[in-house]
Amino acid sequence: MYSKKANINLLTARLIAHDIRDIVVCPGSRNAPIVHNLYEAGSKFQLHPITDERSAAFVAIGLWIKRKRPIAICVTSGSALLNCLPGIAEAAFRHIPLVMISADRPLSLQGQLDGQTIPQQGACLPYARCWQIDEIEEDAQAWEVNHDLQTAFAALSDNGGQPIHLNIPISEPLFEFTTKELPKVEVSTKVNKPVAKLPKHWQELLYNAHLPLLIVGQYEESFIPAIQQLRANNQLLVYAENISNQQDARMALWLDEQKLSPDSVIHIGGCLVNKFFKQHLRTISQLPVLRIDETDECPDTFFQKAEKLTCNPAEILQQLVDTLPTKNEVAAAYSQLRPPEHTFDYPIEAMFVGNSTAVRWTNRQWPVLNVPIYCNRGTNGIEGSLSTAAGYSLVAEEKILCIIGDLSFFYDANGLWNQHLDGKLRILLINNQCGAIFHHLPGLKETPALPHLVAAAHHNSAKGIAESYHCTYLSAESSCVEEDAHHLLIKLLNIESTRPVILEVFTPI
């Protein structure tokens, strides 16, 4: 039997109709009627219990990376919703469709010193648009609530994908489960967009260019075969760091040092990691830049008054394979690349890296990488790095490698507070007892505040955390993680365990 609350039953029916199958659920009483419905629906949903709401939205991001379909999060009233905000912001900047469901108390209780009662409507703005799904007292309200839910779920695919917020007021009594069936709802049919074409002036510009450049920021969709062809045919230079997931970052590393000046740029994907070449491009006068993505936005990352083409980048890149000639200057640049010093050949399904030092280290260590690599580069914060990897591992088939620094790990240690995690999650924790990246910023060494107030120096170890969360704990010391990486990964990946494995590597800055 389902809840007596009609707004909760409509919400449940819409989740099923819109194929929202994975839902992160957090504990609480106000959201318990919603959780009851999700549980009552049986195989329609796979529920992922997460106690700490600060982890919940990041776990949902990890699930989305694996599933590539919208993921929902359900929390109780009060500050529970606010604790999800960093993860919602991360999803917004990466155009990840999450459904943030917050149970709420009746509006009449706000401002009356009632417990766990805060203004929740619009609390996720500007990162997620909010729909208030009020309780239903009469048939006319039912139509309006159903229409609002249909509009909200349709908005998940707007702007290239985005999170939404559904705020659900629930009055007492909460726990009456008397409804036999969920209401019937319909889903509108989506219209496929026609294949876009590169504008004629850009076709001519790229055809005649001597050193055209494709820049790929963080890219979480499938590997684009056309990029490999453009490289092999010497038609375009391709600047693609590891988190672009285009399998070869050597040209990006080389351009960071050489700072060649292209005569035209195509820009796709999200944030870049290194800033050196980006800053160089900002100094070039009147550099033509075409931004291609499926959003309504046009980031002018290189300060060149970029033009915008709204479509799937893969469609345009395949057109370039078919039309661009071989470029001699492009071929000369590719001839400078050398085979990688370190190869990556380990039995993992995907790699997750923390921000700051970890993402930069992996880019240098394994510039040629044939496994997917992910990082929270939407807001570029340290929160949620471990929780995101944990979320992916919940539905992974093979082992997941998470490479993370000490501050990111300790900040997000509650990502391990999950009895459903198993031995697929493997964590390489680089503990240099501070935020090492701060020690490499020009000029920052001049302040005596650096060690303790800026870089957060500490003497902590993950051993106690591993014991608390029933993880397998290993430790090692290394004077050079780059040289020892192979032996460390073999040690981490080969041990048998039914729970997550942490290898904590103590190393100097």
Side-chain angles (χ1 to χ4, degrees):
M1 302 286 277
Y2 294 99
S3 173
K4 188 177 181 180
K5 305 289 186 181
N7 59 341
I8 296 176
N9 292 335
L10 269 174
L11 168 66
T12 309
R14 280 282 164 197
L15 287 167
I16 294 171
H18 290 271
D19 201 29
I20 313 295
R21 288 178 258 170
D22 289 276
I23 304 182
V24 176
V25 294
C26 299
S29 59
R30 191 63 50 163
N31 68 328
I34 303 174
V35 175
H36 166 82
N37 266 24
L38 302 177
Y39 182 83
E40 189 71 8
S43 61
K44 297 292 185 182
F45 301 116
Q46 184 172 355
L47 305 184
H48 306 277
I50 300 295
T51 304
D52 190 338
E53 291 93 356
R54 294 171 297 178
S55 292
F58 289 104
V59 169
I61 289 173
L63 289 166
W64 175 85
I65 291 171
K66 174 63 176 176
R67 299 294 205 200
K68 290 297 189 291
R69 61 175 183 249
I71 308 295
I73 310 127
C74 180
V75 301
T76 194
S77 63
S79 58
L81 172 62
L82 303 184
N83 284 325
C84 292
L85 193 54
I88 296 299
E90 178 70 23
F93 280 106
R94 287 161 65 185
H95 297 280
I96 295 174
L98 301 184
V99 183
M100 183 70 245
I101 302 168
S102 57
D104 199 0
R105 294 175 184 242
L107 183 62
S108 59
L109 296 180
Q110 288 190 18
Q112 308 305 321
L113 302 181
D114 219 58
Q116 283 189 269
T117 307
I118 65 172
Q120 291 181 202
Q121 189 171 3
C124 293
L125 291 171
Y127 309 110
R129 182 181 170 189
C130 179
W131 280 264
Q132 183 83 349
I133 309 302
D134 287 320
E135 292 192 287
I136 297 169
E137 304 296 338
E138 53 189 45
D139 291 344
Q141 286 178 291
W143 183 92
E144 184 176 346
V145 167
N146 187 43
H147 179 267
D148 285 346
L149 283 167
Q150 182 174 5
T151 304
F153 280 102
L156 280 168
S157 59
D158 288 350
N159 195 29
Q162 63 182 2
I164 63 171
H165 174 204
L166 305 177
N167 194 52
I168 321 291
I170 308 173
S171 62
E172 296 182 9
L174 301 175
F175 312 125
E176 294 182 319
F177 308 119
T178 58
T179 304
K180 292 183 179 181
E181 294 183 349
L182 295 172
K184 306 296 183 183
V185 297
E186 295 182 355
V187 177
S188 301
T189 303
K190 292 183 179 180
V191 178
N192 292 327
K193 296 179 181 178
V195 175
K197 290 188 177 181
L198 190 67
K200 186 174 181 180
H201 70 284
W202 267 97
Q203 293 179 31
E204 295 173 353
L205 180 63
L206 291 168
Y207 188 90
N208 295 316
H210 295 287
L211 199 62
L213 172 68
L214 170 65
I215 296 182
V216 189
Q218 180 171 26
Y219 203 80
E220 297 173 289
E221 299 301 326
S222 300
F223 169 75
I224 304 175
I227 290 181
Q228 193 171 29
Q229 293 175 278
L230 289 165
R231 285 187 187 125
N233 298 340
N234 294 315
Q235 294 168 296
L236 282 176
L237 287 182
V238 179
Y239 184 103
E241 297 165 312
N242 272 350
I243 62 169
S244 73
N245 282 301
Q246 302 308 314
Q247 301 183 351
D248 193 338
R250 289 177 297 163
M251 179 55 71
L253 293 169
W254 189 75
L255 287 172
D256 282 338
E257 295 180 354
Q258 301 300 319
K259 295 184 173 60
L260 292 188
S261 295
D263 48 13
S264 55
V265 172
I266 293 179
H267 180 209
I268 71 173
C271 283
L272 299 170
V273 176
N274 290 320
K275 62 183 180 181
F276 310 112
F277 194 62
K278 174 176 67 178
Q279 291 176 333
H280 169 63
L281 294 182
R282 290 174 176 176
T283 68
I284 299 174
S285 177
Q286 296 182 325
L287 175 64
V289 176
L290 178 64
R291 171 69 188 180
I292 306 176
D293 64 37
E294 296 184 280
T295 76
D296 304 325
E297 303 157 5
C298 184
D300 191 19
T301 304
F302 312 110
F303 301 168
Q304 298 288 352
K305 297 181 180 178
E307 296 180 58
K308 176 66 189 294
L309 180 59
T310 303
C311 68
N312 185 332
E315 298 173 359
I316 300 300
L317 296 179
Q318 187 57 54
Q319 293 173 28
L320 293 179
V321 171
D322 299 334
T323 58
L324 287 186
T326 296
K327 311 283 185 176
N328 291 334
E329 291 187 36
V330 171
Y334 278 118
S335 70
Q336 301 299 311
L337 302 185
R338 298 291 178 261
E341 183 178 349
H342 303 282
T343 58
F344 191 92
D345 187 19
Y346 303 97
I348 65 168
E349 180 178 324
M351 182 192 300
F352 286 79
V353 292
N355 268 308
S356 297
T357 301
V359 66
R360 290 168 172 83
W361 176 68
T362 54
N363 201 55
R364 296 190 307 269
Q365 184 75 8
W366 300 293
V368 176
L369 197 61
N370 60 357
V371 298
I373 179 170
Y374 304 103
C375 181
N376 287 345
R377 295 300 288 181
T379 63
N380 291 212
I382 67 169
E383 68 277 348
S385 296
L386 182 57
S387 293
T388 305
Y392 186 107
S393 77
L394 290 171
V395 290
E397 287 88 26
E398 304 295 337
K399 291 174 184 172
I400 304 305
L401 175 61
C402 176
I403 300 177
I404 192 169
D406 46 276
L407 295 191
S408 294
F409 176 87
F410 292 126
Y411 196 95
D412 192 30
N414 275 2
L416 297 172
W417 189 3
N418 187 336
Q419 62 182 336
H420 297 283
L421 292 175
D422 61 22
K424 290 193 294 288
L425 179 58
R426 302 297 168 110
I427 302 161
L428 182 65
L429 167 56
I430 310 299
N431 189 344
N432 46 36
Q433 300 186 320
C434 68
I437 195 169
F438 299 110
H439 289 267
H440 301 292
L441 298 180
L444 194 51
K445 288 185 178 180
E446 302 303 317
T447 173
L450 171 60
H452 296 286
L453 300 181
V454 177
H458 65 87
H459 299 285
N460 298 325
S461 166
K463 185 175 182 179
I465 293 171
E467 292 175 352
S468 295
Y469 293 133
H470 308 290
C471 298
T472 299
Y473 177 79
L474 307 170
S475 67
E477 293 187 4
S478 173
S479 59
C480 182
V481 177
E482 290 82 358
E483 294 180 1
D484 296 336
H486 174 70
H487 299 292
L488 292 170
L489 288 181
I490 292 297
K491 182 177 182 179
L492 172 62
L493 296 172
N494 282 1
I495 188 173
E496 295 294 327
S497 178
T498 58
R499 287 286 293 165
V501 180
I502 302 169
L503 172 54
E504 184 170 24
V505 183
F506 297 94
T507 185
I509 297 173

